[in-house]
Amino acid sequence: MEAIRLEFQPEIKSKILEFLSTFSADELKIVEDSSYFNEEKKMLQSRIDKISDGSAVYSNFEELDILLEDTISKYED
């Protein structure tokens, strides 16, 4: 399947949904867009940029294990 993103005025939403409902579930699936799409996109792009320019900070397995154990212990009680 392919996906597109539509932007429209709120007053025509019912007309759009009415038209789209004429298609079968095999032909069309309506997926609600995340309200945080742009924020998530910026955050992911920032992480990609850090990886690309070599400024990303990585943890080894032992450091990650310590961090996870500390986090779990905070919420165990």
Side-chain angles (χ1 to χ4, degrees):
M1 285 193 131
E2 293 186 36
I4 60 171
R5 183 169 179 221
L6 302 174
E7 292 186 10
F8 51 85
Q9 295 297 322
E11 58 269 8
I12 68 164
K13 182 177 182 177
S14 62
K15 291 179 183 179
I16 291 172
L17 292 176
E18 182 180 342
F19 170 70
L20 294 177
S21 68
T22 62
F23 297 96
S24 73
D26 292 336
E27 295 174 309
L28 177 74
K29 178 180 176 185
I30 298 174
V31 179
E32 293 290 328
D33 196 16
S34 168
S35 61
Y36 300 106
F37 175 79
N38 288 326
E39 290 86 1
E40 291 171 351
K41 182 178 175 183
K42 287 178 189 174
M43 181 268 303
L44 291 172
Q45 187 60 55
S46 172
R47 290 183 181 180
I48 290 169
D49 293 343
K50 286 181 179 181
I51 292 169
S52 297
D53 70 17
S55 65
V57 177
Y58 299 95
S59 298
N60 64 33
F61 180 76
E62 290 80 20
E63 292 168 332
L64 178 60
D65 189 45
I66 291 168
L67 175 65
L68 291 174
E69 289 296 328
D70 289 345
T71 303
I72 290 169
S73 68
K74 284 181 188 178
Y75 297 100
E76 280 183 329
D77 297 328

